[in-house]
Amino acid sequence: MAALLCRGAWRNSSGVWQSLAKSKIQPVTWIRQKFTRSRIPEWVFQPRPEDHEKYGGDPEQPHKLHLITRIRTGRRRPYWEKDMIQRLGLEKRLEPVVHKNIHSVNAKLKVIKHLVRIKPLKLPYGMPTEEEMSDCYINSRGELIIRCRLQPVEQKTIDSS
């Protein structure tokens, strides 16, 4: 009995497929556009003077380090954006990561710029040395603070003569 029902359903659906095959269906091109990388015009990435005034940057002296924080999820995003999130070490949300301000890193950040917050890493005490790296931390304002170790003061002997 079940075999007869399946055969009957198959016969009915084959007629539908034949009628669809006879009619000329236009190919759907939007699927290809939906799953390929977006074409963003180049003028979007060009520097604008009003941006420098707004964010307090200097185009002649750019900052050396980026402080990058992922603010949006990587779920339901294309595979190339997930790969960039992993390559840049941004797996954890709201955890800042420091990267150099160089062309190769900036090209990767262009792909995921809508998922991250990029700030310049401010160095109020200058670049730390190797010895000072263990005593550094990044505060909430994006500044690299160096906690200086107190050096013991040598006791001077006083002569009472």
Side-chain angles (χ1 to χ4, degrees), residues 6-68:
C6 290
R7 282 188 203 155
W10 179 255
R11 282 187 200 142
N12 292 341
S13 65
S14 64
V16 173
W17 285 112
Q18 288 173 357
S19 65
L20 284 175
K22 289 178 184 176
S23 66
K24 295 183 179 179
I25 300 175
Q26 297 295 327
V28 181
T29 57
W30 63 269
I31 292 175
R32 184 182 327 146
Q33 294 169 353
K34 186 175 181 181
F35 296 109
T36 57
R37 292 183 186 211
S38 62
R39 305 288 192 256
I40 302 172
E42 280 298 317
W43 62 267
V44 172
F45 301 114
Q46 298 303 321
R48 293 176 286 194
E50 57 269 10
D51 286 346
H52 295 295
E53 294 169 7
K54 180 178 176 182
Y55 298 112
D58 183 16
E60 301 300 323
Q61 297 290 326
H63 58 276
K64 294 180 182 181
L65 299 171
H66 287 308
L67 184 64
I68 306 164

Side-chain angles (χ1 to χ4, degrees), residues 134-154:
S134 62
D135 296 330
C136 295
Y137 69 95
I138 299 173
N139 66 6
S140 61
R141 293 185 301 270
E143 299 174 342
L144 185 70
I145 305 297
I146 303 170
R147 280 183 268 180
C148 297
R149 291 185 180 169
L150 296 175
Q151 301 294 329
V153 179
E154 293 182 18

Side-chain angles (χ1 to χ4, degrees), residues 17-118:
W17 285 112
Q18 288 173 357
S19 65
L20 284 175
K22 289 178 184 176
S23 66
K24 295 183 179 179
I25 300 175
Q26 297 295 327
V28 181
T29 57
W30 63 269
I31 292 175
R32 184 182 327 146
Q33 294 169 353
K34 186 175 181 181
F35 296 109
T36 57
R37 292 183 186 211
S38 62
R39 305 288 192 256
I40 302 172
E42 280 298 317
W43 62 267
V44 172
F45 301 114
Q46 298 303 321
R48 293 176 286 194
E50 57 269 10
D51 286 346
H52 295 295
E53 294 169 7
K54 180 178 176 182
Y55 298 112
D58 183 16
E60 301 300 323
Q61 297 290 326
H63 58 276
K64 294 180 182 181
L65 299 171
H66 287 308
L67 184 64
I68 306 164
T69 307
R70 184 170 64 90
I71 56 172
R72 296 224 171 116
T73 183
R75 288 185 180 176
R76 300 184 68 145
R77 303 302 311 165
Y79 69 92
W80 57 84
E81 292 180 5
K82 291 177 184 177
D83 288 345
M84 283 301 156
I85 288 171
Q86 188 177 13
R87 285 182 194 167
L88 292 171
L90 297 167
E91 287 91 9
K92 291 191 176 181
R93 189 169 173 254
L94 301 175
E95 184 176 302
V97 177
V98 178
H99 281 283
K100 290 182 181 179
N101 184 6
I102 56 176
H103 181 70
S104 61
V105 173
N106 293 340
K108 292 175 185 175
L109 288 173
K110 281 182 191 177
V111 176
I112 59 168
K113 68 179 185 175
H114 55 285
L115 302 175
V116 297
R117 179 186 303 130
I118 304 168

